[in-house]
Amino acid sequence: MKKNPDAQDIDFDSMMSGVKKIQQDKVVFSRHQKQNTQLKKKQADDEAKKVSASFEFSDGFESYSDTQQVISFVQPEGDKSELKKLRRGVYAPDLILDLHGLTKEQSKRELAALLHEAHKQRHYCVSIMHGKGNQVLKRAVPNWLMQHPGVMAFHQAPKTWGGESAVLVLMELPEESFTWPQE
């Protein structure tokens, strides 16, 4: 015995006659919308770093050009004994900045943000890992550090903190905020 297919359709239609269509309450994001949201967040973070790093470095200033010499500098009014302690590895860095994989402009912004943060949090010693590579950053980082008023001294890091591919930096802080390490 065959059933009439139209009879089944009529029964279903009659059963659904008073039903309203449900509106979808889920929001579906496409892959591009997620990427745009992440990109906007990254741009906002970069903008915040620019604002927090109020110091601008000049690329026109060049004091260090020979990358074969040991990187070392102390402000004219600075204490040379502090530079010796830095060279011997007495100070351990409180903050470490790794510039591997960054462009020169990105590195400049990150360095300014690090120095700003170190001053704000009252860190006395920071490490900057510029790497070896083509030595673009190895030449640029010391020139930028010499321009910053908060940098008291810097020296090529000892092997334990990166050796030839890193620089240890001493920051100027008010006397009452820092206690000298015991030797």
Side-chain angles (χ1 to χ4, degrees):
M1 183 168 160
K2 287 186 175 181
K3 292 189 177 181
N4 185 356
D6 293 333
Q8 288 178 351
D9 289 339
I10 294 172
D11 290 337
F12 182 77
D13 289 340
S14 65
M15 289 191 300
M16 297 293 151
S17 63
V19 177
K20 293 181 185 177
K21 188 174 181 179
I22 298 175
Q23 281 190 327
Q24 182 178 358
D25 60 349
K26 294 182 182 178
V27 178
V28 179
F29 291 100
S30 71
R31 176 176 229 168
H32 297 294
Q33 288 173 329
K34 286 181 182 178
Q35 288 175 348
N36 287 344
T37 304
Q38 291 171 348
L39 181 62
K40 286 180 184 177
K41 183 178 178 187
K42 186 176 187 290
Q43 288 172 344
D45 289 344
D46 288 345
E47 198 61 37
K49 284 181 182 177
K50 283 182 189 177
V51 170
S52 71
S54 58
F55 189 80
E56 282 293 321
F57 296 107
S58 168
D59 286 326
F61 176 80
E62 268 195 45
S63 176
Y64 273 92
S65 59
D66 182 16
T67 57
Q68 299 304 319
Q69 70 184 29
V70 174
I71 299 170
S72 181
F73 172 78
V74 64
Q75 291 287 353
E77 66 277 356
D79 187 3
K80 294 197 187 296
S81 66
E82 293 302 310
L83 184 64
K84 288 179 185 177
K85 290 178 186 176
L86 190 63
R87 183 181 69 231
R88 285 183 288 175
V90 172
Y91 299 115
D94 298 316
L95 296 174
I96 298 173
L97 174 65
D98 189 355
L99 300 175
H100 287 94
L102 298 180
T103 65
K104 194 172 178 181
E105 286 302 313
Q106 290 171 332
S107 298
K108 192 188 307 185
R109 284 194 306 267
E110 291 294 326
L111 179 61
L114 171 82
L115 296 176
H116 176 77
E117 196 64 25
H119 180 73
K120 189 170 90 173
Q121 292 184 12
R122 299 185 178 278
H123 291 301
Y124 188 64
C125 183
V126 296
S127 175
I128 300 158
M129 306 236 2
H130 50 71
K132 291 183 182 179
N134 294 332
Q135 300 187 348
V136 172
L137 293 178
K138 187 173 183 174
R139 274 184 252 128
V141 167
N143 292 324
W144 294 333
L145 289 172
M146 292 173 97
Q147 298 173 41
H148 198 280
V151 173
M152 180 175 28
F154 59 86
H155 194 277
Q156 179 177 308
K159 287 196 184 248
T160 55
W161 295 108
E164 293 179 11
S165 61
V167 175
L168 287 182
V169 181
L170 288 182
M171 302 292 296
E172 281 191 25
L173 296 176
E175 293 293 324
E176 67 274 0
S177 68
F178 179 74
T179 56
W180 297 99
Q182 302 298 320
E183 290 187 35

